[in-house]
Every structure is written in structure tokens, then in C-alpha cells.
Amino acid sequence: MKFMIVGKASAETEAGVLPSQELVDNMHAYNESLAKAGVLLAAEGLYPSSQGVQIAYSGGKASVIDGPFAEAKELIAGFWLIQVKSREEAIEWALRLPVPPGHDGIGLDVWRVFDASDVPDDAMPAEEREREEALRERLGVDEPGD
């Protein structure tokens, strides 16, 4: 099972304040422990929302809205993508994350990532499943459960 651990933004991350060396070291150690356990698929920090855009849809048309965006607590500052055996294991890993100063009350989100293997065989035509598997192979993505 794949899960995404989402680190929420704070006033500091939205202001572009770089983390302390201590936090960088702690995050590096955390990422190393994920990698050593063989569960880390990706881990990335994100620029503040002032560097991003949102795409909004209305009446079937898209419009681009430049950042920054209002509610920092509703934004994300980074993420980890992990592959584990259970929801409980994903939560265990999330609970080990170093807590940045000033993040009291902000927290993390842990979301299961939907995978084509979650769709029952009778709900996805064989041709579509084969296309999905071929795309994963071209991208070098492990098959679910690997």
C-alpha cells in the first residue's frame, strides 16, 4: 500500500524561511531511516505558495490564479510517498517525523494513494489494466505489492 504523508505549511514556510540546520539534520535522518527500511518512494519539500498557481474551473473553463494563497494552514510544505504493508505502519512512520518549531496545532495528513490494483478485476477491462501495467513498466514504477 502506498501512502502520502503531507507536511502542512506554516507562516514560516510560506514566508520562505529556511529550516534550521538542526531540523534539516533531523529530517535527513528521518528520510534515511525510511530509505533504510525500504519504504521511501519520494520525499520533497515545496516552495511557498507565492511560487505556485492554482487552476480553477468554472463553466468548463480553466483559469490560473497566482499565489500566494490565503490560509497557510490549508497549504502543504512538503510530502513523503511511502510504500508499506498497512495503514497502521504508515501512521507509525508519520508519528516519527521531526516536529518543526512553530508547528503546534498544524499537524500532518496521511492519505492512502489509490492504485489501479485497488480496482476489482471485473470493474476494469483487461485492455485498460494492460495499458496501466505497460505505463508503469515504461516509467519504472514497481507493481503494487512489490
Side-chain angles (χ1 to χ4, degrees), residues 2-137:
K2 291 179 188 169
F3 285 84
M4 180 178 283
I5 302 169
V6 178
K8 300 289 186 88
S10 67
E12 292 80 16
T13 61
E14 276 297 286
V17 175
L18 295 176
S20 69
Q21 188 59 50
E22 179 182 9
L23 181 57
V24 169
D25 292 343
N26 290 341
M27 287 292 185
H28 182 73
Y30 173 74
N31 291 344
E32 285 290 323
S33 67
L34 288 167
K36 191 174 187 178
V39 300
L40 183 63
L41 300 175
E44 301 292 342
L46 302 175
Y47 279 92
S49 69
S50 60
Q51 301 293 313
V53 300
Q54 290 180 339
I55 308 295
Y57 298 98
S58 179
K61 296 189 181 213
S63 60
V64 177
I65 304 163
D66 289 320
F69 307 112
E71 286 292 324
K73 66 183 180 186
E74 295 177 7
L75 300 171
I76 65 173
F79 68 91
W80 293 260
L81 185 61
I82 61 174
Q83 187 160 10
V84 293
K85 292 182 174 77
S86 67
R87 176 179 181 264
E88 292 73 22
E89 185 180 358
I91 292 168
E92 287 174 18
W93 280 109
L95 289 170
R96 296 180 194 173
L97 252 158
V99 178
H103 270 65
D104 288 348
I106 295 177
L108 299 167
D109 288 341
V110 180
W111 293 77
R112 185 163 177 198
V113 176
F114 192 88
D115 193 277
S117 68
D118 298 327
V119 178
D121 286 338
D122 60 350
M124 183 186 288
E127 181 179 296
E128 190 174 329
R129 191 172 298 278
E130 288 170 11
R131 281 197 318 252
E132 174 74 21
E133 289 171 4
L135 177 60
R136 287 179 169 280
E137 188 174 311

